[in-house]
Amino acid sequence: MTRILFISQYLNRAGTEAFMMNVFRGVDRSHFGVDFLLYSRNETDYSKEVEAAGGMVWRVPSRRESPLGWYRSLYCFFKEHAQDYAAVHYCGNGLTAIAPIVLAWRFGIPIRIIHSHNSSSDGLHNRVLHMLQRGLACRLSTHHFACSSLAAKWFFGNSPAVIIRNGIDTRRFAFNPQTREEVRKRLCLKPSTTVIGHVGRFQAEKNHSFLLDVFAQFHKLQPDSMLMLVGVGDLEDSIKKKARKTGIADNVLFLGERSDVEQLLQAMDLFLMPSTFEGQPFVLIEAQCAGLPCLVSDIINKDIFLTESIGTCSLQQPATQWAQRMKEMASTHKRHDESKAIEQQGYSIATTIGYLESVYEGKEGA
């Protein structure tokens, strides 16, 4: 059996983790075993799923908690287990911590994949460290993957990279009017209420503060409206506080971390994403598959504009301009199943997994 090791900081419910889990669920289990190495001791729904299905979840201390302990634990892990793996698949948002790739090279794991899932990073120090380590990381890895052309440029500079489409299970996210009605009833949402939705961790790049400003302006134009926020993160409390201060708290649903995002998308009427930077946001593919009109910031890579339902707006534009655009899109959009369109453009998880399996087996060169 060919064993693969995914390496990531966490295994929470977020875009990068969703990609890894889709691969874990979809590979041919008679030929491949998939394990995870995490910089976190926390158990999550995903880690429990992996272990229940027979996969290993190895954990080391986080680098923030103990830089030296992190490196020592990684060294001991690779020294003891490197011979068990045919490939390591490092998924990350930056190259600030390349020790796993260095150690995979040092202990002879033949296939060493670096997979870029973002197009920038928070903090000047992170960006500088990323740039300083990029050359070494590129030399020691055998395959360069990225979720978009912008993410490839950020991670690999002028080194070649393969764009790996963030494939999804299109059947799960296809628009279903019956599911929409059931979910809205469960959430006590009236049929007439316009529901603006967002799925993403409460982190700076997701721009939740501006998102609230936009919704506050939209709510003035469309009083019968609600904002649905799905996700958790460090900034959640501050965003809740701002919602109360702005006077829209009663019209904002904070739904936390959810395992039923495919159903919640059915209940929405428009998907809003004013991010300051992204790689290739997984949930935007899912939202398009669900037939939602999507208004996103103009920094989003247009590689991911798969349907006619996407509109853009500059972050330099005021919240009032965004709100007006939302009102126009929500009132004119005719929702329908877009799953076939998503599949035809190569964003089915089955297509993605077929290519990855050939890489893991050494059939696809660097």
Side-chain angles (χ1 to χ4, degrees):
M1 177 177 285
T2 301
R3 296 205 69 81
I4 314 305
L5 182 69
F6 271 114
I7 304 173
S8 183
Q9 187 168 4
Y10 305 112
L11 201 52
N12 299 323
R13 289 189 178 276
T16 300
E17 291 89 335
F19 170 83
M20 294 188 292
M21 289 301 296
N22 280 345
V23 175
F24 173 79
R25 296 169 183 138
V27 294
D28 182 350
R29 293 288 181 83
S30 66
H31 291 91
F32 297 93
V34 180
D35 298 334
F36 291 79
L37 175 61
L38 308 177
Y39 312 157
S40 169
R41 300 190 187 281
N42 295 336
E43 274 197 333
T44 65
D45 289 346
Y46 280 166
S47 68
K48 291 175 183 176
E49 179 182 341
V50 170
E51 292 173 326
M56 291 294 300
V57 178
W58 307 97
R59 294 179 173 86
V60 297
S62 73
R63 190 164 57 105
R64 185 177 300 177
E65 173 189 336
S66 172
L68 186 58
W70 172 76
Y71 182 81
R72 284 176 172 169
S73 297
L74 283 174
Y75 184 90
C76 292
F77 172 84
F78 280 100
K79 184 177 181 180
E80 182 176 353
H81 298 288
Q83 71 276 6
D84 298 334
Y85 294 101
V88 294
H89 192 152
Y90 170 79
C91 292
N93 295 327
L95 292 171
T96 58
I98 63 171
I101 294 299
V102 174
L103 292 170
W105 168 81
R106 164 68 175 79
F107 288 103
I109 296 178
I111 296 170
R112 300 177 298 277
I113 301 164
I114 294 179
H115 195 155
S116 168
H117 286 271
N118 220 334
S119 59
S120 187
S121 182
D122 275 333
L124 178 61
H125 64 292
N126 284 332
R127 291 192 288 273
V128 170
L129 187 57
H130 171 93
M131 299 300 289
L132 290 173
Q133 298 193 139
R134 186 166 68 180
L136 178 60
C138 287
R139 288 194 297 274
L140 296 185
S141 53
T142 60
H143 294 73
H144 303 156
F145 293 164
C147 62
S148 69
S149 55
L150 285 178
K153 184 68 176 176
W154 162 245
F155 255 61
F156 307 115
N158 294 323
S159 296
V162 175
I163 304 300
I164 300 293
R165 293 183 172 92
N166 283 344
I168 65 171
D169 183 346
T170 55
R171 295 168 300 177
R172 287 178 58 214
F173 291 92
F175 177 54
N176 185 317
Q178 181 178 347
T179 301
R180 172 181 167 81
E181 184 178 346
E182 291 171 353
V183 175
R184 287 176 70 102
K185 283 182 179 178
R186 190 163 69 238
L187 295 173
C188 300
L189 296 168
K190 296 182 297 183
S192 61
T193 301
T194 301
V195 179
I196 307 302
H198 175 83
V199 180
R201 288 187 61 77
F202 285 81
Q203 295 174 323
E205 67 269 21
K206 300 300 183 182
N207 211 8
H208 282 88
S209 181
F210 181 66
L211 192 153
L212 280 189
D213 293 338
V214 170
F215 178 73
Q217 293 300 321
F218 178 80
H219 189 61
K220 292 178 182 177
L221 299 174
Q222 184 74 30
D224 187 8
S225 59
M226 294 289 292
L227 175 63
M228 182 189 297
L229 298 177
V230 182
V232 295
D234 295 339
L235 300 179
E236 184 177 358
D237 288 343
S238 66
I239 297 302
K240 288 180 177 178
K241 183 177 179 180
K242 178 168 181 174
R244 292 191 294 269
K245 185 177 180 180
T246 310
I248 57 172
D250 290 343
N251 295 91
V252 183
L253 297 175
F254 289 89
L255 297 185
E257 189 172 69
R258 301 288 293 237
S259 61
D260 59 345
V261 170
E262 71 278 9
Q263 295 188 28
L264 296 175
L265 289 171
Q266 305 292 330
M268 299 174 189
D269 294 295
L270 183 140
F271 190 83
L272 182 61
M273 179 174 276
S275 301
T276 58
F277 63 84
E278 290 279 357
Q280 188 189 63
F282 212 92
V283 70
L284 192 53
I285 303 169
E286 297 168 346
Q288 289 176 87
C289 188
L292 280 169
C294 305
L295 183 61
V296 305
S297 56
D298 60 1
I299 60 89
I300 303 289
N301 194 319
K302 290 183 172 54
D303 291 353
I304 201 175
F305 291 15
L306 308 179
T307 69
E308 298 296 321
S309 63
I310 289 200
T312 64
C313 202
S314 170
L315 292 174
Q316 304 307 313
Q317 294 290 334
T320 51
Q321 186 70 28
W322 279 72
Q324 185 60 49
R325 188 76 190 282
M326 289 163 57
K327 188 173 188 299
E328 294 166 1
M329 293 177 67
S331 63
T332 60
H333 183 73
K334 303 298 182 185
R335 193 167 180 182
H336 59 276
D337 181 0
E338 294 279 15
S339 59
K340 293 298 181 185
I342 303 300
E343 290 176 10
Q344 288 167 2
Q345 294 175 78
Y347 284 86
S348 166
I349 189 60
T351 303
T352 302
I353 287 174
Y355 174 75
L356 289 177
E357 287 182 340
S358 67
V359 171
Y360 297 152
E361 291 182 318
K363 296 176 181 178
E364 292 284 346

